Amino acid sequence: MADFLSQLKKHIKDDETGPAITLLETLAGRHQGEKLEVLETLALASDPTALAILSFMTEAPHRDPDIHDRLIQLITDRAHLNFEFILILLANADRKDLDPSAPLIRHILSRETDPGLLKKIISLTGKIKLGKLTDDIAEFIFYDDKELKAEAVKALERMGTPKALARLTQASKTEKCDDDILDAIQVLSQNMADRETHIKEDQAAKTDKE
């Protein structure tokens, strides 16, 4: 136990993420006390090292149910101080862990100024269809940044909800309307029509069987 922890702490202190991750591959077989001490150590790690290691620990093959909730809380706490940590949750967390983070993500979207980070957050939000943030994503259509606007339109299209379609339709009636918005509206409208058709066909099939 002492050898594992002492080596891990040294690697983390020295920002040696590779060796630290190699040690953590055996974490599942460790005692609960060791696992908790690992989290305490990561709470104090430098941002680059913590980002790499926490990302590794939240990937599906490496998740440990014994410390899962504490791990999510640690990432959330660090995301309040460094918004980049929210990318870990957006990329790796389950929906049940993400939904409570919606207010934090909304806060980050309204406060962050780095276009690169915003673009990643918007893209991932659309990819995982986090509908609670539809209005927040739609706001970026009206930004002067063309790349953020395009990413927001793409994210709303991926969400594929009536609310996302409504926001795109509203935007199409403003000076911000462009081909990307019109194309997204067409795709969403067709997808929704197809879904409605499939639902009616399934209902009809069930009725016939009865």
Side-chain angles (χ1 to χ4, degrees), residues 42-202:
L42 288 171
L44 302 175
S46 68
D47 283 349
T49 295
L51 280 165
I53 293 176
L54 291 172
S55 180
F56 166 81
M57 293 177 69
T58 53
E59 291 172 355
H62 310 122
R63 292 178 188 171
D64 188 328
D66 292 341
I67 56 172
H68 178 77
D69 291 345
R70 292 174 182 265
L71 181 63
I72 296 299
Q73 187 59 55
L74 171 58
I75 296 169
T76 303
D77 290 344
R78 296 205 62 152
H80 278 90
L81 302 175
N82 181 339
F83 293 162
E84 193 173 355
F85 279 85
I86 203 64
L87 295 176
I88 299 175
L89 295 183
L90 288 169
N92 298 337
D94 295 329
R95 177 52 61 91
K96 67 179 180 64
D97 297 318
L98 274 171
D99 283 344
S101 299
L104 172 58
I105 301 171
R106 181 175 294 114
H107 170 76
I108 293 172
L109 287 170
S110 68
R111 298 284 183 171
E112 181 55 57
T113 58
D114 177 11
L117 180 55
L118 282 170
K119 187 175 179 181
K120 291 177 183 178
I121 294 172
I122 293 169
S123 176
L124 287 169
T125 300
K127 184 177 180 180
I128 62 178
K129 305 182 188 300
L130 198 56
K132 290 182 177 182
L133 298 175
T134 299
D135 289 338
D136 305 276
I137 297 301
E139 285 295 319
F140 286 90
I141 292 176
F142 301 97
Y143 277 41
D144 291 332
D145 190 308
K146 292 183 178 180
E147 289 190 6
L148 289 179
K149 176 188 176 184
E151 202 64 56
V153 172
K154 190 186 303 181
L156 291 172
E157 181 182 332
R158 284 177 169 176
M159 286 180 180
T161 62
K163 187 174 184 179
L165 177 58
R167 294 295 173 268
L168 287 166
T169 302
Q170 289 172 356
S172 72
K173 299 175 182 178
T174 72
E175 62 181 9
K176 292 295 184 177
C177 183
D178 59 16
D179 289 342
D180 287 342
I181 291 175
L182 295 176
D183 289 345
I185 290 173
Q186 183 177 2
V187 170
L188 275 181
S189 298
Q190 186 60 55
N191 288 345
M192 290 182 184
D194 290 344
R195 283 200 295 268
E196 184 65 25
T197 299
H198 291 153
I199 290 173
K200 291 180 178 179
E201 289 176 348
D202 289 343

Side-chain angles (χ1 to χ4, degrees), residues 12-40:
I12 291 175
K13 181 180 179 181
D14 295 341
D15 292 322
E16 298 171 345
T17 57
I21 287 174
T22 298
L23 280 175
L24 287 169
E25 289 176 349
T26 68
L27 187 63
R30 299 286 172 177
H31 296 299
Q32 183 70 0
E34 291 179 286
K35 295 177 181 181
L36 295 178
E37 195 161 346
V38 167
L39 295 184
E40 291 174 4

